[in-house]
Structure formats: structure tokens, C-alpha cells
Amino acid sequence: MFEYKFRFRVYAGLVIAIIGVLVLRLVWLQIVDSRAYTGESRSNALREVRALPARGVIYDRSGVLMVDNQLRYSVTLTARYFDPQNVSLLASLLNVPDSLVVDRYQRARDWNSFRPSVAFTDLSLDAIGRVEENRYRLPGVGFQISQRRRYLTEANAWHALGYVREIAGNELESRRQSGYRQGDMIGKAGLERTYEEYLRGELGAEFKLVNKLGREFKSFREGDEDVDPVSGYDLHLTLDSKVQALAESLFVNKRGAAIALDPADGGIIAFVSEPSADPRLFSSSVAGSTWVALQTADDKPLFNRATMSGMPPGSTWKPFMSLVGLQKGIITEHTRYQCRGRYVLGNRAFRDFNSVAHGSINVERAIEHSCNSFFFNLMMQLDIDEFKYWATEFGFGQELPVDIGEQQPGLIPDSAYYNRTYPSGWTSGYTINLGIGQGNMTVTPMQLARYVAAIANGGWLHAPHFVDRVVHPETGETIPIDLDPSRRVPIEPRHFETVRNGMSRVVEFTSGRGARIDGIRAGGKTGTAQAPGDAEDHSLFIMFAPLEDPKIAIAVLVENGGQGGRQAAPIAGLIAEQYLKGELSAWSKTRVSYVMTLKSE
Amino acid sequence: MRIWYRNLDVTVIAAWIVLVLFGLIAIYSTTHGPKAEFLLDSVRQNFDRQLLWVGISLVAATVIFLLPVRFYQNAAFPAYILCLVLLVAALMFGPSINGARSWLRFGGVGLQVSELAKVGTVLAVAQLLASRRAQKAPLRFGFLVVLLILIPASIIVLQNDTGTALVFLALIPLMLFWSGFPFATVVLIVSPAVAGYLALVFRPAAFVFSLLVTVWLFLQTRERYIAAFAFLLTAGTTALISLVLPRVLSEYQIARILSFTNPEAEEYRYTVGFHLVQSKAAIGSGGLTGKGFMQGTQTQGDYIPEQSTDFVFSVIGEEFGFVGSLIVLLVFSYLLIRIIAAGVQMKHPFGVMAAAGASGIFLVHLFVNVGMATGILPVIGIPLPFLSYGGSALLANTMMLAVVLNLYMRRDDLSIYGY
């Protein structure tokens, strides 16, 4: 009999020591460090399923719904749980090549093996049904319902609205902080882009428990911690969808732009840059070939002519010259000038159109007849820097405070410009053409529109804008639009009156007759901008109506459309008629068909 | 006439019931929770099967309680031989399950023979040491004990079930310790294993341990050679693991071995460290009181592999928290000490050794299993006695416990053959 008691004590000590070690370990794991492991287990099993909010919809000026959302179905892949052996099964269910599934699988893996990432979008309900039936064989495959834009009116307004598109590579990285994930849609151009943060809404979250295979099996704490998504704000535009649709249709076979503004506040009634793209093309994923085609087409459909295309204003510049001359006292409304059909400067003669001599002519008549000699004479008495000052006052030579996209500032020369361009010296012969809107200057159609709106309203320059207000669909909360303050061109109102009268005569009697509206008096001015080379000139027209109390101001450009009166004026007139009367007369409708036959040469 | 069961220790039976109940609750949670609908039928039936095995174990225990002490002494060696035969049969004819050939099928029932072999081996060692001659030639009998244990252990290694084989190896110092071997020798045998573990986890501790063991052995034995040998053994193991291992094994293999010390590291967490990361997350996130029955996110999400078998402790840690885990550990410590106390009270080598073997095996299983689940030991796939899903283990462990209880209950019969 040996010392069992000793051995018992040793053994019992060992048991207690071992269990003591285990208990201490548990104290460490479950009490001291529990928080860290709670995090670990949550990041594991707790999946935050993002609940996407409904993107804000877009209404036109009279409350017509232009853009809303449509559900679209997507399949997601969670790379870690997806069995690569299922590639062909999934491919056959979705009716896509195996290589595409492999590619999406690799992308999902590169992003995050443990999170579902959207792999296939815009699936038919059929395809979704097929996948759902086989889901038990497809671990790591899930669904997501998202939305795409739906365009409800005939107006495209592609350059204004822009489009939404699946967020891509580097932008995804920079926006990840703001909650964007692969497969999310984001406004890529136009208003969709400018107002992205309002339109998008706030993400919600549902917390689900997922098992090792990435399958949700239960909601976490019965959904107590879930957060509902908050819908995006709706945009209420100043655009009139009917006017917009008409304006677009008038540009069939033409390249150009048309902008219609409300002279009272700068709200944009129509905004056309043609050719453009069909926004419906962009509401689902855009095929690469479509992109290439849009980007390389000769007529540059992605180029926003309304704000980006700069050209000399031609005779549409003459109201400007008149205003400056009147304000500066170079002329009065009664000052008469003897027009001989040409203006001789040194040994050069600057001609009137067709060398027609207008005889003794005041400023109103000079506008009416677009008398070059009158304005050459005026320009000769105007200092070039003075010229630049007033052009700048009217918003030329600078980017406008518009709520979309890229712009060309245009060019208004001053003496420094001429010194730079002609270091060996220059004379007034170099600048005299500026008096009739030709020569070394460019303006954009958008600038012209704002300028004619200022003529119409007596000198107020407003910030052109598309969005009237941003309203939340559920709470009705309205976010005011932060516009640049309006300012007034320091020219006496009576001078505007004089110029408007001259412009009304253009529509009444001369080159702008094509813009006449039955029963409504209007003012306008044609312009013909010289196009480079042998190409047909650009056709320009600026207009406002009604004469007595202008409600709409329009600038129209038809590239290579010949003289301003030929193509641009009828387009402007029809736009104004549609807006002011709400419909077109029978006669005007036939004119629409006629205008549609005209072409950019 | 005295009632035959008057000496039955009901507290041990109560402890057994508590442990088995915890196991059943955990298994129920893994098979009938909210995720159940995604489980295969065969997995969902695990709970029912385990319930069936509890019944079988109860029947087996009852039969064991009815048999006299002598039966076990006589049956010890034949049972041992039978176990060896079954082990070899499993190795040769058994199906390969999880890469190991340790199963035999009888009709529809699968038996993991290596579990039963533990009972046979413990009984055989006990019977060997019960011989009077054992006291007279401790070295020779010590050698025989080692041999008795090594034979099934090697077959099990061949079966590719290293975890179970390790339990057999751990049995060697325990049995020698109880057989009356000098305590110093037992320490000597265990010391390289401890040194090796420390070398893996924290090298300086291994050197300190090596020095301590050497000094302690010298003080105990006053034998310079034994002390020197102990130093060679422990320091040698430490050196081997810290210097030679990195040269022999590839970096990846080293990483695998070391992964348990830092499973969260980016390079392990989805590969070799996955079990541990998930198990620790489950237990740690359980906190003080746990997430509640069938509420464990790790458990219900199937994140912990083998959560109803080897990692059943994670389920308890997650759903019942520190409180639940502590109850399990306390009940275990009562059971282990109570068994060995019963053995000592029998005052007969057969009884002591049977109790020592049973308690020792449970202790090793408990330490390795919970140590693994909590990340202080490498992942070695052995079940937690009485809790883990698995009929063979439950049956074998219950039988072993029942044999010890029966011997204790009939200890008066034993004494006749004792000293």
C-alpha cells in the first residue's frame, strides 16, 4: 500500500489546475475581451442588407411626371460561398456564357469574398424564377431588387436630365464612404448628377443573420435594429415637357441647340441640344458598342451644343450694340445714319448684306433691317475695352451659373487680346466686325438665351436653372434652390424699350417673319454666324414673346442651317407658340412638318 | 440482506445526467434552430440519434451494474484483445470517414472502435497492475504498461486518427503515476511534452521550465544523471522545436502548427485558423450569460465546423455564456475528482487503476477539447466526453464510468482479492 493520499492530492491538484486554466481562459474570452469577439461574430453572421431608397422622381413645370423608377432584378454572388463548379449551372440558368459568370465571380472575389456583390442585373422574371428554383444547389447566390429609371414623356431632354448608370471602378472607390456599392446606380450627367445627393435618398439597412453559406436564415433581433430607407427628394423642374418634346422634334435632321428661358426668373423651359441620345438607352446597362458609337459619331450626340458650342453671334449681336450705343450716348433713338450699303474704312469696304443701301436710318430701323453699316459706324466709336465691359455685363465671355454640366465661357476680346494676337500692331479695321457680331468672338446659345431674356425683362440677368424646387415625396419638405443672385445690366429701361421695338419689327416685317405667332406680338433677331471653311453658315435666332409682357425668351442655333431667318426663326416661333398657347394652331402644325424637312447642310 | 446498490454513488450519476443534458441541448440547438430548414436530413436527425445512444448507454450501464467485480477482472484481457482485433479490422475493412479508418459498421450502426479501445486498454492496464508482482518489479511492469498502451495507440495512428492516439499517449504517465512509479519519473516523462508546448507558445517559458524541472528533479532524487537527463530532454525538445523545426519543415507547415497561437492573423483566418477564429468568436461573444438557447449567431450560422462534435463547447459558450461554461467545467471537475476519490477508497489496485484510467481519459479529453475550443491548444480533433455528438464516444465513456461506479459500489467484493 503506497501513498495514495499523496497521489490523490497531486492528481486533484492537477485537475483543479487544468480546470482553473480553462476557467481563466473563459474569463478572458467571455468577460474581459468579450466585446472584441462580439464584433468578430457580428461581422461574421450579421449581414447588413442595404435597403435601397426609391430615387427621387422628376416632374416638369406643370407637374407632369417625366422620370420615375421601375424595379429591376439582379443576382448577387458571395464569392466565398459560391462553388466555382456551379459556374456552368448558373450560366445556363441565366442564359449567359460561362466566361461571364467566371468574370463576375472573380470581380466579386476581388471586391470582398464575404459580401454579396451584384453580378447580373436587369434579369427577366423568368431568369430569376429559374435561379430561385435551383437556389438550394447554388450557395453564395442571392437576389437583389433595385430600380431603374423610366422615362414617361415624349421629351428626351437627355442633355438636361443626364442619366444614371451603374457606378464604376474608381468612382466606386472614392464614393465608398458615402455608401455606394458595386451595382448601385449613380447620376452620371446632367441633373441626375448635379442633384445626385438629393435624388438618391438615404440608405436603409436590414440586419439579417446569415449562415456560413451566405444564406440569410433569420432577421437579427426580430428586426429591431433595422433602419428603413428614406426616399430621395423629387425634382420639380422648370422644363415644360411638351415644349421640350416639340423643340426636340423640330431638330430632326439638324444639329443645333435651342434654349427657352422664363425671362422673369431664368427658369429653363426647354433645353435642346441635338442630336442627342435616348435616355432609355441608359436606364439599363449600356453596351460597350453603344458607347463607342455615341462617342465617335460624326455629329457628336454627347456634345452639349447649348452650353459648349461657341460661335460668333452674328446679327443677334446688334441689339447689344444698340443698347450700348444708346446708354453710352453715342447715339440716341433718333440719331440717323446714312447707309450706302457699305462702310468704307481706309481702303477697305465693309458691306451690308447684298450691299443693300438702307438710306437714312435710326436705331430701330437699323435693327429691323439688320443694317451693318449702322453698327460698323457704332463700333468705330466704341473703345474695344468698353465693348468687353458691356459684353461681360450681359454675361458673355464667362461661364453661366447653370445647374448642369460643362460650359464654354466663349470669347469676348479686349485690347490685351488684340495686343497678344497681333503683336505687330492692330487697328480699328481689326475690330470693326465685332460690331455686327463677327470676327474674333464666340458666344454660346445658352449665353444668347440669357441675353435675350435680359432684353425682354429690361436688363435683369438671372441664373438659368432647371430645378424650381426639391421636394421630399413623403414629408413634403422643400429645399430651396440656391441660385446665384440676379443682377441688372446698368442700362436705362427706355433703351431696352427702343431695342425691343426694333426687334418686334424684325418679326413683323423682315428677316424674322418665320417666327410670327398668330395673335401674339414678339420680338426677335436673326443671326448668321460664319462657319469655318466653305460650310454653310450657322443659323441663329433670338426671340422673346409676347412683346408687351415677355413670358419666354428663346435662342436657337441650327448648325450649317444658312441664314438665321430660314431655319432658326421658325423653330423659335413654334416653341414660343406651344409655350404661350399650350398648343399649336393647325397652320403651325403644318409648319412643324415643314421645319422637320429642313436640314443642317 | 444488504441491498446491492446501496453503495451506488448517485452524485456521479447526477453529474453524468447534467453533462449529457448539456450535450443534448447543444446538439438540439445545432440541429433544430432557425437554420434547421437548410440542414440535410441526415444532420437534422443527429439529435434523435444522440438520444437513441443515450438510451443504449443507459442500457449498457445497467448491465454493467449487474455484473460482479470478478467479471471485469477476468474479462479485462480478453476485452483488450478483442479491441485490438476490432482496431485492426477497422483499419483494414472499415470505411474511411474524414480521412480516418477508425470505424466499423454493424448492420446500420457505425462504431468508432478507437473509443471502445480506451475502455479495453484501461481495464487491461488495471488488471496488469493488480498483480501482486507488479509492486516487486515496477520497472518491468512499467514497461508492460507502456507496451499495453502503445499497441492500440500505434494502430490508431495507422488509422490516421492522431488525436485519439495522443489521448492514449497521455494515459502513459497517468497510469504510471498511479501504479506507484516514482513521481519524479512521471514528471520526467511528461516534461518534454510540456517543454515542447511552451516552446511553441512562448520560448523563454520553455527554458525556464527546463531549468525548473532539472532543479526540482535533482532535489527530489539527488541523482545528478537523472537531473542532467531531464535537462537534456526538456532543453533538447525546446531546441529541437525552436531551431531544427524551422529548418526541416516548410514555412507553411510551421505556420500550420503555430496558427493556434494567432489564428486571427490574415494569412490563417480563412484557412488553418478558421475553426479557431470561429470558435473563439462564438465563445467570446457569448459573454457572461450567453445569447440564449438557439440564439447563437455563430452556432445558428454554422460558422464553427464540427460544432456538434468536437466544437460542442463553442455552442455552450456562445448560447449559455460564461455561466453555462462554468457549470460544465465545475461539474466535470467534481466528476473527475469524485471518480479518483472513489478509486482511492477501493483500496485495490484494479479499482484504483480503473478509476485513474477513466478519470485520466476524461481529463485529457476535457483539457484538449476545451483548450482547443478556446484557442490555447492546437486543433486536435477529439470529442468532449458526454457532450459531443457521437454514439461510440458516449457509449464508451458511459461504460467506463459505469465500470468504475460498479467497482466502487461492490468495493467490498474487491477487497477479498486485495491486500
Side-chain angles (χ1 to χ4, degrees), chain A residues 2 4 7-8 11 18-19 25-26 29-30 34 37 40-41 44-45 114 209-212 215 217-218, chain B residues 38 135 177 181 269-270 277-278 280 283-284 287 291 295 298 301-303 317 322 333 340 359-360 374:
Chain A
F2 42 84
Y4 276 139
R7 282 170 202 254
F8 175 74
Y11 183 80
I18 284 180
I19 290 187
R25 178 64 175 170
L26 287 174
L29 288 181
Q30 299 193 292
S34 179
Y37 293 105
E40 173 92 39
S41 88
N44 235 343
F114 283 85
L209 292 177
V210 290
N211 69 7
K212 198 168 71 169
R215 199 173 265 156
F217 65 89
K218 194 173 172 246
Chain B
F38 300 118
Q135 294 304 313
F177 168 72
F181 244 64
R269 61 181 303 134
Y270 301 127
V277 171
Q278 301 303 342
K280 280 167 76 177
I283 295 171
K291 297 176 186 169
Q295 299 295 320
Q298 294 283 101
D302 271 329
Y303 286 93
F322 180 69
S333 52
I340 206 72
S359 178
T374 54

Side-chain angles (χ1 to χ4, degrees), chain A residues 4 69 124 164 211 226 242 269 277 311 320 369 428 446 493 522 553 576:
Chain A
Y4 276 139
N69 305 300
S124 66
V164 291
N211 69 7
D226 292 2
K242 279 193 185 146
I269 295 162
M311 70 204 54
F320 165 83
H369 293 287
S428 49
M446 190 73 188

